[in-house]
Every structure is written in structure tokens, then in C-alpha cells.
């Protein structure tokens, strides 16, 4: 399973990339705005840090402008994946950009019928938002299960399932159980994956015992 970082914070992305565990980055207009920085500069910087796909989202809603924005975003780095919303125009833009060999991430996916269309439009990635479905009392992971099952019926589908709107370590482990290709995780949630009180307690006890022995490895 691949791990993307869901962030536009360059310092955080650098720190997490240094672990060697990060395969890509996703951003969205809200995350970019939160940084208070220039969109294009931020994407260029992220592309220089991460060699895997970096999703940068168009903000136009008509397909012609989406394509122009997508081409501009794609020129910022060879690893840019242009993010388009799962709308009629977004699907049209996806098909045209994909035909031009530009990676496309179709975002804001909330149903399996939408995911089928994204694959049909040649999307590199489809982003179902699990947390936002949970927020309205549905089960986001049911959608991941459905999409993974449907895609697996058609080996010719190359679209990768990118689980987005991830809010907990449970979302990550469930995504792995269902065989999703990628999870995109905020930095804070990534830390939840390794933090465990018994790890901290155990390490503390080992180090206290070690100190009593007065030895040193180096
Ligand atoms: C990723 O591509 C999405 O933009 C992101 O996961 C949305 O997450 P949120 O629902 O927590 O805002």
C-alpha cells in the first residue's frame, strides 16, 4: 500500500519524506489557502522534495479552463497529477488530459458509479472521501470496498484507488485490508499509526534497565 501525505505544508512534507515512507502528496485548494503562500510556488517546492505523484487541483469548473489550468499545473513538475472534481466537466477534462499522458486524480468521489466513470475517463487515480461520508452517518469504507471489488472485475482498469479524507489509523488499516492502492494521510494521522503507549512504556523500561548495567554500545 502506498502512502501519500495530504498536506501543502512544505516543512511537514520534507520532514515526513525524510522517513523514506512517503510515496506522494495530495493538496487541495483549502490546504493551499491555509499556507497563505503562492499556489504555483508551493507545488514546485513539493515536486522538488517528493519524486512520487503530487496532486494539484484545478479551480475552474468548465472543462476548457480546467484543461488550461491542468496543463499549466502539469508544467510545474513531471510528477504533477492534475486534480479535477468528479463533475461532468471534470470527467471531460480528465479524458482529454489523460489522452495527453498527463496524470489525473479525479477527486470528490462519493459513489461507486462515479468511480466507474473516473476509470472510464482514464483517471490515474480516483479519490473517494471516506471521512466526509462518515460525517454524514454513512460508512466511507463501504465505498472503498465496492470500488475495489468493481475495479478488480476489470483487469484493464489501471485507475488506482486513492483513499482520501482519512481521519484515523482505522481508516488506514481498513484500506489495507480491502486492498486499496493508496491512502493519503494528514501528518497528524500518520503519527497515530506509530504512536502506542505500550511502545513508549516498554522502551522506557528497557532504557532504565540498560542504564543500571552501565554499558554502552559505542
Ligand atoms: C485529498 O485529496 C483530499 O483533498 C483530502 O483528503 C480531503 O480531506 P478532508 O475531508 O479531511 O478535508
Amino acid at each position: 500500500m502506498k502512502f501519500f501525505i495530504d498536506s501543502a505544508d512544505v516543512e511537514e512534507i520534507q520532514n515526513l519524506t525524510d522517513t523514506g515512507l512517503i510515496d506522494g502528496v495530495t493538496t487541495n485548494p483549502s490546504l493551499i489557502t491555509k499556507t497563505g503562500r503562492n499556489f504555483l510556488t508551493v507545488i514546485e517546492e513539493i515536486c522538488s522534495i517528493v519524486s512520487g505523484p503530487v496532486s494539484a487541483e484545478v479551480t475552474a469548473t468548465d472543462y476548457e479552463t480546467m484543461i488550461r489550468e491542468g496543463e499549466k499545473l502539469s508544467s510545474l513538475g513531471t510528477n504533477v497529477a492534475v486534480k479535477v472534481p468528479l463533475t461532468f466537466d471534470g470527467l471531460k477534462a480528465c479524458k482529454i488530459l489523460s489522452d495527453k499522458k498527463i496524470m489525473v486524480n479525479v477527486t470528490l468521489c462519493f459513489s461507486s458509479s462515479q468511480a466507474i466513470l473516473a476509470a472510464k475517463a482514464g483517471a490515474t487515480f480516483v479519490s473517494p472521501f471516506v471521512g466526509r461520508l462518515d460525517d454524514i452517518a454513512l460508512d466511507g469504507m463501504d465505498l472503498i470496498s465496492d470500488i475495489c471489488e468493481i475495479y478488480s472485475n476489470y483487469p484493464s482498469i489501471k485507475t488506482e484507488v486513492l483513499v482520501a479524507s482519512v481521519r484515523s489509523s482505522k481508516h488506514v488499516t481498513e484500506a489495507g485490508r480491502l486492498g486499496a492502492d493508496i491512502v493519503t494521510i494528514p501528518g497528524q494521522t500518520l503519527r497515530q499509526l506509530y504512536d502506542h503507549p505500550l511502545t513508549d512504556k516498554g522502551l522506557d523500561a528497557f532504557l532504565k534497565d540498560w542504564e543500571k548495567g552501565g554499558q554502552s554500545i559505542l
Side-chain angles (χ1 to χ4, degrees):
M1 181 166 49
K2 286 178 272 189
F3 276 18
F4 287 3
I5 286 295
D6 198 22
S7 174
D9 178 337
V10 172
E11 199 182 328
E12 176 177 58
I13 291 167
Q14 180 70 68
N15 280 339
L16 294 172
T17 301
D18 288 346
T19 63
L21 300 173
I22 304 307
D23 303 294
V25 172
T26 52
T27 67
N28 63 40
S30 305
L31 291 171
I32 294 283
T33 304
K34 207 165 102 187
T35 68
R37 303 186 58 216
N38 177 271
F39 180 23
L40 306 183
T41 308
V42 169
I43 296 298
E44 266 179 327
E45 285 180 14
I46 298 174
C47 287
S48 70
I49 296 169
V50 180
S51 55
V54 175
S55 288
E57 188 160 343
V58 300
T59 52
T61 52
D62 66 284
Y63 84 95
E64 281 167 327
T65 319
M66 281 182 190
I67 290 164
R68 283 182 30 235
E69 289 184 351
E71 284 171 340
K72 180 161 182 181
L73 293 172
S74 161
S75 74
L76 300 175
T78 52
N79 50 341
V80 168
V82 176
K83 226 173 164 187
V84 300
L86 216 158
T87 58
F88 185 77
D89 280 64
L91 290 169
K92 244 169 128 174
C94 173
K95 178 79 180 96
I96 292 166
L97 291 167
S98 299
D99 284 349
K100 292 183 181 196
K101 307 285 174 227
I102 290 174
M103 282 192 287
V104 181
N105 176 357
V106 181
T107 190
L108 291 166
C109 173
F110 292 97
S111 74
S112 38
S113 61
Q114 289 180 320
I116 291 171
L117 290 176
K120 191 88 187 143
T124 318
F125 309 105
V126 66
S127 293
F129 277 37
V130 294
R132 293 190 194 190
L133 283 169
D134 292 353
D135 289 345
I136 57 162
L138 295 172
D139 187 343
M141 297 317 297
D142 283 349
L143 175 60
I144 303 304
S145 171
D146 289 347
I147 299 172
C148 288
E149 184 187 344
I150 292 167
Y151 281 12
S152 72
N153 288 337
Y154 299 93
S156 61
I157 291 181
K158 299 293 174 232
T159 305
E160 293 188 77
V161 179
L162 196 173
V163 181
S165 189
V166 165
R167 307 268 170 80
S168 66
S169 57
K170 188 142 189 280
H171 279 150
V172 177
T173 51
E174 273 295 289
R177 196 176 64 79
L178 295 169
D181 301 284
I182 309 159
V183 281
T184 188
I185 320 173
Q188 201 189 344
T189 310
L190 187 80
R191 282 180 274 281
Q192 281 178 23
L193 298 188
Y194 62 77
D195 270 341
H196 199 291
L198 289 180
T199 303
D200 295 342
K201 194 175 165 199
L203 181 61
D204 193 48
F206 284 155
L207 293 181
K208 279 193 177 125
D209 287 343
W210 182 250
E211 214 174 302
K212 286 181 211 154
Q215 295 194 61
S216 137
I217 296 172
L218 298 175

